[in-house]
Amino acid sequence: METGDCELRQGEDGLELVGNGMVLRADFMRLLPRLRPDRLGRELLVRAARVRGVASPAVVDATAGLGEDSLLLAAAGFSVTMFEKDPVIASLLRDALERASNEPQLTKVVSRMRLVEGDSVVGLRELGFAPDVVFLDPMFPERTKSAAVKKKFQLLHLLERPCDNERELLEAALAARPRKVVVKRPPKGPALAGARPSHSLAGKAVRYDVIVPPPA
């Protein structure tokens, strides 16, 4: 399958996106060290998304990409619904889920992950349930400054452009009536759509803004 300057092909280790001399494959196995209990609880995303008093919170990852953040949440006990609107990226993610389901260390984790191919701006308004958390990680140019990150995301940028509908995305997230919305941002980046967070958790490489909607 060809898409622009890239080609989607079946490699020995799974579905691959090839282009510009680079190969991109979603691979959950390499994240296993971060899924250890002693490390998982320290992940900023897990801490930002945690819901008190709920044993298995339901989270919607509205911008799933290659599903790495969703995997962390699922490993922490969340039930995750992932939206990915680009069909090529969705294919890479679906292939990763299928491969991971056959790995004993990941079978239980990925059983809590469900992929929906489609635009989350529409899907969030048609969920049929109120999630505990909506997670947003809109692609933005600032995240491509380091060479390592740039190489990883360059192929994805050929398929999916940085978010240009921040307000619409945030409004759809809030319309789903979650307990909180968690937004991934660069450490010194502006708040999504200018919305002031209730609080934030920041590390050296990323910041999570948490928006707690007022009671209905």
Side-chain angles (χ1 to χ4, degrees), residues 51-58 132 179:
V51 179
R52 292 182 181 179
V54 181
S56 182
D132 295 294
R179 296 170 184 258

Side-chain angles (χ1 to χ4, degrees), residues 195-216:
R196 184 176 180 178
S198 305
H199 63 273
S200 300
L201 291 177
K204 293 182 179 179
V206 68
R207 183 184 84 235
Y208 292 97
D209 290 342
V210 180
I211 301 171
V212 180

Side-chain angles (χ1 to χ4, degrees), residues 132-145:
D132 295 294
V133 182
V134 174
F135 174 57
L136 306 177
D137 178 16
M139 194 179 294
F140 45 87
E142 291 89 342
R143 286 179 57 201
T144 63
K145 285 184 178 179

Side-chain angles (χ1 to χ4, degrees), residues 48-68:
R50 188 174 290 129
V51 179
R52 292 182 181 179
V54 181
S56 182
V59 59
V60 173
D61 183 346
T63 48
L66 295 180
E68 295 182 359

Side-chain angles (χ1 to χ4, degrees), residues 6-95:
C6 306
E7 179 184 0
L8 198 60
R9 70 184 184 191
Q10 188 65 45
E12 292 183 2
D13 298 317
L15 198 63
E16 301 172 337
L17 182 63
V18 183
N20 293 351
M22 293 179 290
V23 177
L24 181 66
R25 182 180 65 254
D27 181 12
F28 290 155
M29 288 295 290
R30 69 178 186 81
L31 294 177
L32 281 176
R34 294 178 66 184
L35 305 187
R36 296 200 315 257
D38 62 320
R39 293 188 58 180
L40 192 60
R42 300 200 302 268
E43 289 280 349
L44 285 180
L45 172 57
V46 173
R47 290 169 54 195
R50 188 174 290 129
V51 179
R52 292 182 181 179
V54 181
S56 182
V59 59
V60 173
D61 183 346
T63 48
L66 295 180
E68 295 182 359
D69 288 322
S70 284
L71 185 74
L72 291 176
L73 292 170
F78 288 78
S79 174
V80 187
T81 300
M82 303 174 290
F83 281 91
E84 177 50 55
K85 66 180 181 180
D86 185 273
V88 174
I89 299 175
S91 294
L92 291 170
L93 178 51
R94 186 179 297 106
D95 179 71

Side-chain angles (χ1 to χ4, degrees), residues 86-159:
D86 185 273
V88 174
I89 299 175
S91 294
L92 291 170
L93 178 51
R94 186 179 297 106
D95 179 71
L97 289 168
E98 291 175 356
R99 284 184 280 113
S101 68
N102 295 316
E103 298 289 347
Q105 307 100 308
L106 291 172
T107 302
K108 187 175 180 180
V109 175
V110 298
S111 71
R112 291 193 286 267
M113 300 168 68
R114 181 174 71 94
L115 174 60
V116 179
E117 185 178 330
D119 189 343
S120 61
V121 170
V122 176
L124 280 164
R125 298 179 184 276
E126 302 175 349
L127 280 177
F129 68 95
D132 295 294
V133 182
V134 174
F135 174 57
L136 306 177
D137 178 16
M139 194 179 294
F140 45 87
E142 291 89 342
R143 286 179 57 201
T144 63
K145 285 184 178 179
S146 75
V149 174
K150 186 173 183 177
K151 185 173 183 180
K152 179 178 180 181
F153 285 95
Q154 190 175 9
L155 288 178
L156 294 185
H157 278 182
L158 293 176
L159 302 172

